[in-house]
Amino acid sequence: MSVLNYLVALIDRHGFSILNKSYITYSAEFKEQAIRRVIVNHESLYSVALDLGLKSPGILFNWVRSYKENGYNVIIKPKGRPRHESQKQADQAGKSPLKARKPSLTPSELKTYYRERICKKIARLSQPKEQEPKAEEIAAAVTQLRRELKVSVTFILETINANPDLPHMSRSNYYYTINKKDKDAKNQPLMTLIRKIYEDNKHHYGYRRVAQTIQNLDIKVNHKKIQRLMTKMKLYGIRIKGWRKYNSYRGSQGPIKPDLIRRNFFSILPDRKWYSDVTEFKLNGQKTYLSPIIDGCTQEIISYTISRSPNLKQTMDMVDLAWLKNHGVEQSMSRKGNSLDDGLMEGFFGILKREMFYGFEKNFKNLTELEQAIREYIDYYNNERIKIKLKGLAPIKYRELVLS
């Protein structure tokens, strides 16, 4: 609740006169009652402050904090100017009339409150990821609770281990965990570089391509080390979803042309084998179609067209007229309905959709934004996205290497 909203609610509850009151001194009994409502009765701090007419919920927050810091005692602060050193010495000798009040909560109430706080904090460790937290996370939470509640480690661990729904930890394991040295402290510069590469490539890279990118920078590092560090930092590349066998529409077939490739997609030199196909994108009940050409050597996208209608026939007619007859290019046709015969192109479609479309549909308001994202991804794919099979280079860089 913001300060403005609180003031509006305060005026609505108590009227404008509540703001005209001068400085108010609250008694210890008044503070105890307010604190007890928050800690023991579990009432909202804001609602209690509003009900009591406090001008700010921060007043009650400070009472509760001071109450905990002083061993769950309400302390009455002395008024006026600070006392002289001699007066302080006299107070220490037992002559001060101001004494800390006795705890307002019974030992049983305090233990119940402590246990609730402990269980609530440890349970939160498992909520974001829905899996058992690591020993380091549990030990850090225990240490924090020990400082906040001023209770023993034994009490905290006994509370945790008595609850079957919470992860357990022994006393020896706790001290072993907090005292062991972080073996990756010296790897912080490398971990920073890993995160930068991971973020720059929009979380597409797994540990293999991150390792290859680092090795391309002339930094010698084992890929297993990169895998361990990425797991520790919870950095995971986008994974392939479960796939199903794809069968395209066979339709009516004209004259059958020979399959010259026979799934031997690789070429030693660029521009010797090209592959093309059409894939469909569905967004908000509308469709757009991508028809690229991929090179069998560099695996770069040579060219592509994007259309709102499936015009593969027009594209192939254009290729037939422009290239096949005038440049001695032979046409090879895969069997209809068998995507494996065009595996290189289908592989690119899978990478494309996995890394920029599947799961990201809500990022695109319309087909225009989607089509622009496809263009940007193809540029990234050609110029930046490394491939292990291409000696850890992007397709365009691999072309330059082959032709050099």
Side-chain angles (χ1 to χ4, degrees):
M1 181 183 292
S2 66
V3 176
L4 180 60
N5 291 339
Y6 179 82
L7 289 177
V8 171
L10 186 66
I11 295 171
D12 184 61
R13 174 75 66 87
H14 301 280
F16 281 98
S17 60
I18 193 69
L19 301 179
N20 297 328
K21 293 184 178 180
S22 57
Y23 179 79
I24 302 175
T25 301
Y26 299 98
S27 66
E29 289 74 15
F30 183 89
K31 293 180 180 180
E32 283 183 6
Q33 182 184 9
I35 294 170
R36 181 179 289 271
R37 290 177 62 179
V38 174
I39 293 181
V40 179
N41 299 340
H42 303 290
E43 295 184 50
S44 167
L45 187 145
Y46 291 98
S47 63
V48 174
L50 187 64
D51 184 52
L52 298 178
L54 302 180
K55 291 185 178 181
S56 168
I59 297 175
L60 180 54
F61 174 82
N62 290 333
W63 291 351
V64 174
R65 181 180 62 182
S66 178
Y67 183 70
K68 296 176 181 178
E69 291 175 351
N70 289 284
Y72 293 84
N73 292 325
V74 174
I75 302 297
I76 304 299
K77 295 182 180 179
K79 299 181 181 179
R81 300 173 62 183
R83 290 169 291 170
H84 192 269
E85 184 64 29
S86 59
Q87 182 62 37
K88 292 182 180 179
Q89 294 176 358
D91 292 343
Q92 294 174 358
K95 297 181 180 180
S96 174
L98 297 174
K99 297 182 179 179
R101 295 176 56 86
K102 294 181 180 179
S104 59
L105 299 182
T106 66
S108 177
E109 289 176 331
L110 281 174
K111 287 185 177 180
T112 300
Y113 172 69
Y114 292 153
R115 291 192 178 100
E116 290 176 353
R117 283 281 305 275
I118 292 168
C119 293
K120 187 175 181 180
K121 187 174 186 66
I122 299 300
R124 280 202 299 263
L125 297 177
S126 303
Q127 288 177 356
K129 50 198 172 190
E130 297 182 354
Q131 62 184 15
E132 188 167 315
K134 295 182 178 180
E136 292 80 4
E137 297 174 320
I138 301 174
V142 170
T143 301
Q144 186 176 358
L145 286 167
R146 180 185 181 186
R147 293 171 181 171
E148 290 178 356
L149 303 180
K150 296 181 174 61
V151 295
S152 67
V153 172
T154 302
F155 178 81
I156 298 174
L157 294 177
E158 287 178 350
T159 301
I160 296 173
N161 296 334
N163 192 324
D165 297 328
L166 298 178
H168 295 178
M169 172 173 277
S170 66
R171 182 183 176 89
S172 60
N173 190 20
Y174 166 75
Y175 283 107
Y176 168 77
T177 302
I178 63 173
N179 291 327
K180 72 176 182 179
K181 296 182 179 179
D182 184 2
K183 64 179 180 180
D184 289 321
K186 61 182 179 181
N187 291 324
Q188 288 302 319
L190 177 60
M191 295 168 72
T192 301
L193 178 59
I194 290 173
R195 185 175 295 279
K196 183 178 186 306
I197 294 172
Y198 182 78
E199 296 292 342
D200 287 349
N201 289 277
K202 301 179 180 179
H203 306 180
H204 295 157
Y205 279 15
Y207 74 90
R208 290 184 179 87
R209 283 194 284 166
V210 170
Q212 184 63 61
T213 303
I214 294 176
Q215 292 167 5
N216 290 346
L217 299 174
D218 293 331
I219 299 175
K220 294 183 178 180
V221 61
N222 189 280
H223 68 279
K224 293 183 179 179
K225 183 176 183 178
I226 300 298
Q227 182 183 24
R228 181 179 63 79
L229 293 176
M230 289 186 67
T231 301
K232 181 176 182 178
M233 294 188 288
K234 299 180 176 61
L235 304 180
Y236 306 102
I238 298 176
R239 299 180 180 179
I240 302 175
K241 298 180 180 179
W243 63 278
R244 61 183 179 84
K245 186 176 180 180
Y246 172 76
N247 290 305
S248 64
Y249 172 65
R250 295 178 181 271
S252 58
Q253 302 188 30
I256 299 177
K257 297 185 179 180
D259 180 5
L260 303 178
I261 297 298
R262 298 185 182 277
R263 300 183 186 176
N264 182 19
F265 305 114
F266 179 71
S267 174
I268 297 178
L269 295 175
D271 303 326
R272 295 298 188 272
K273 293 180 180 179
W274 284 359
Y275 307 91
S276 182
D277 203 345
V278 173
T279 191
E280 176 187 88
F281 293 82
K282 295 180 181 180
L283 183 69
N284 301 328
Q286 297 179 304
K287 299 179 181 180
T288 188
Y289 301 86
L290 170 68
S291 177
I293 296 176
I294 191 170
D295 186 89
C297 174
T298 64
Q299 299 185 26
E300 66 182 289
I301 302 302
I302 303 298
S303 65
Y304 63 91
T305 59
I306 299 177
S307 174
R308 300 288 174 90
S309 59
N311 52 4
L312 175 61
K313 183 177 183 301
Q314 296 177 357
T315 302
M316 295 309 298
D317 288 346
M318 177 273 295
V319 173
D320 285 341
L321 293 173
W323 288 92
L324 300 181
K325 295 181 179 179
N326 298 334
H327 296 271
V329 177
E330 295 183 77
Q331 186 177 10
S332 173
M333 293 294 291
S334 63
R335 295 166 292 173
K336 278 203 170 187
N338 195 329
S339 60
L340 296 180
D341 286 345
D342 196 16
L344 191 62
M345 191 78 260
E346 293 294 340
F348 168 74
F349 288 155
I351 293 172
L352 169 70
K353 293 185 177 181
R354 183 175 70 248
E355 295 189 353
M356 60 77 56
F357 185 65
Y358 292 142
F360 303 100
E361 292 90 340
K362 294 182 179 180
N363 296 345
F364 312 115
K365 296 179 181 179
N366 48 51
L367 288 182
T368 301
E369 290 190 1
L370 172 59
E371 291 166 352
Q372 179 59 29
I374 293 173
R375 295 185 183 94
E376 292 175 357
Y377 181 85
I378 291 177
D379 181 73
Y380 160 77
Y381 174 88
N382 278 341
N383 295 282
E384 299 180 36
R385 186 184 185 278
I386 67 170
K387 298 176 75 71
I388 302 300
K389 293 182 179 180
L390 301 181
K391 297 185 178 181
L393 300 175
I396 296 297
K397 294 293 184 182
Y398 186 72
R399 172 182 282 267
E400 295 174 358
L401 175 67
V402 172
L403 297 179
S404 61

